[in-house]
Amino acid sequence: MSGKLYLVATPIGNLEDITLRALKILKEVDCIVAEDTRQTLKLLNHFEIAKPMISYHRHSTEEKGQEIIEKLKKGNSIALVSDAGTPVISDPGEEIVNIAIKENIQVIPIPGPCALISALIASGIDPKEFTFLGFLPLNKKSRKEKLEEIEIATKTTILYEAPHKLIVTLEDLKKVTNQRKIVLAKELTKIHEEYFSGTAEELLENLKEPKGEFVIVIDKCPISQENQFEDMSIEDHYKFYENLGYEKKEIIKRIAKDRKVKKDEIYKQFL
Ligand code: SAM
């Protein structure tokens, strides 16, 4: 009979956040698959757990994944962990989970810390519905598409970002979020945990050389559903963008895009 694949969440800073169940599973399994074995070794040493480890990271080959699946098929139980937080969430493991499901291997999540959830609940931004986009893509076209998605988001948006890319990302967000509130949750669960709140522009003024880990939580667009624009008079549509701080040329461009008509048609109506 196949072994079980446990997806074990580990702390994102404060080691006291490990759950009792996570410790129990880490002690019980035959081996631990870790994103970075040196990082996980520190955690295991702290809790006095000794276990064989296999490394599995973003650049691991398909064969490495297959090797782990074979171990499971032979009846070994395995705990998959990432460097911090919930594995698979912007971390390696998705492929192994998918193959395990196909092979009828039982996959069991062991819930615990996750940076996006901690940031959301402490941000004060509407937590009822949200979209998690992980890290924004670096590819220009895909990045532009994601930013356009954020621009008209009807729900709270959550992003992860590396500290050295935070300023560039805030510059990009400034172009699409205008006066919307953004909360940066820094170093969650750690000694220097801190929250910064404001528009992208205000955050850029206050944060010169960001250090540490950050989650970005963005408030939804005040009116954003495309079909709502269609129901609006063209004057209200114009006012909507004017209130967001856009210049006339940009407003005309946006109205034309929202209403799927040529810019000239909109210009004519405002002449
Ligand atoms: N799987 C992890 C989780 O469950 O949150 C996320 C891993 S992802 C590779 C790393 C990113 O998560 C960081 O760049 C940062 O955006 C966010 N992050 C992780 N730990 C954090 C912390 N303690 N405080 C703020 N953000 C954190």
Side-chain angles (χ1 to χ4, degrees):
M1 206 177 117
S2 294
K4 292 172 184 164
L5 174 63
Y6 295 95
L7 309 172
V8 182
T10 57
I12 54 170
N14 192 327
L15 292 183
E16 290 182 10
D17 290 335
I18 191 113
T19 68
L20 294 174
R21 191 166 171 224
L23 288 176
K24 181 170 168 276
I25 297 294
L26 291 174
K27 282 178 195 158
E28 278 176 9
V29 289
D30 296 301
C31 91
I32 297 173
V33 170
E35 183 183 6
D36 179 345
T37 51
R38 286 163 306 177
Q39 195 65 29
T40 301
L41 189 63
K42 286 187 214 157
L43 180 83
L44 297 183
N45 285 344
H46 181 87
F47 291 107
E48 297 176 353
I49 299 170
K51 228 13 98 169
M53 274 197 278
I54 303 176
S55 122
Y56 182 81
H57 47 77
R58 223 172 338 143
H59 306 293
S60 289
T61 57
E62 219 174 281
E63 289 82 61
K64 196 67 185 271
Q66 208 51 52
E67 191 189 308
I68 294 161
I69 295 293
E70 288 311 316
K71 273 190 179 296
L72 284 159
K73 279 187 179 169
K74 282 185 188 142
N76 292 287
S77 57
I78 290 181
L80 179 97
V81 299
S82 62
D83 287 353
T86 301
V88 185
I89 299 295
S90 297
D91 266 340
E94 186 181 339
E95 285 98 31
I96 294 189
V97 169
N98 290 342
I99 305 171
I101 292 169
K102 273 192 206 126
E103 301 278 355
N104 283 324
I105 294 165
Q106 202 178 345
V107 178
I108 303 168
I110 308 297
C114 184
L116 78 102
I117 298 298
S118 300
L120 175 67
I121 60 171
S123 69
I125 292 183
D126 187 354
K128 287 187 284 300
E129 288 188 284
F130 63 91
T131 307
F132 172 59
L133 296 180
F135 292 91
L136 279 181
L138 296 178
N139 171 282
K140 254 188 170 177
K141 187 169 170 268
S142 335
R143 191 173 175 95
K144 189 168 169 272
E145 279 166 12
K146 288 287 166 206
L147 287 164
E148 282 171 1
E149 202 180 301
I150 295 171
E151 184 166 37
I152 54 160
T154 54
K155 297 170 184 148
T156 297
T157 304
I158 308 174
L159 300 174
Y160 281 164
E161 194 48 284
H164 64 283
K165 293 187 194 141
L166 185 65
I167 296 292
V168 173
T169 294
L170 284 174
E171 299 274 11
D172 282 347
L173 288 174
K174 189 175 131 182
K175 292 175 207 149
V176 294
T177 57
N178 269 288
Q179 296 306 306
R180 275 153 69 188
K181 182 178 165 186
I182 297 180
V183 171
L184 301 178
K186 179 188 168 190
E187 295 282 89
L188 289 157
T189 80
K190 301 185 199 176
I191 299 168
H192 298 294
E193 175 169 331
E194 205 176 346
Y195 299 84
F196 301 88
S197 171
T199 62
E201 192 170 7
E202 287 164 350
L203 292 169
L204 280 162
E205 273 164 24
N206 296 330
L207 249 104
K208 293 298 170 214
E209 282 175 38
K211 288 196 182 73
E213 297 199 275
F214 289 88
V215 179
I216 307 172
V217 187
I218 308 161
D219 202 359
K220 60 180 172 290
C221 181
I223 306 176
S224 48
Q225 271 154 352
E226 282 171 54
N227 53 8
Q228 279 180 293
F229 287 132
E230 279 160 22
D231 297 339
M232 250 184 211
S233 74
I234 201 142
E235 287 77 16
D236 285 346
H237 200 161
Y238 191 96
K239 264 190 220 133
F240 167 74
Y241 281 125
E242 201 173 36
N243 290 339
L244 289 178
Y246 289 110
E247 299 291 335
K248 184 174 179 182
K249 203 173 151 202
E250 183 62 26
I251 297 177
I252 302 281
K253 196 172 120 193
R254 282 165 191 269
I255 295 178
K257 192 175 168 215
D258 294 339
R259 295 182 173 245
K260 299 181 184 70
V261 294
K262 292 213 166 97
K263 268 192 293 184
D264 288 355
E265 274 183 48
I266 308 294
Y267 267 117
K268 269 185 222 148
Q269 299 205 39
F270 281 100
L271 277 178

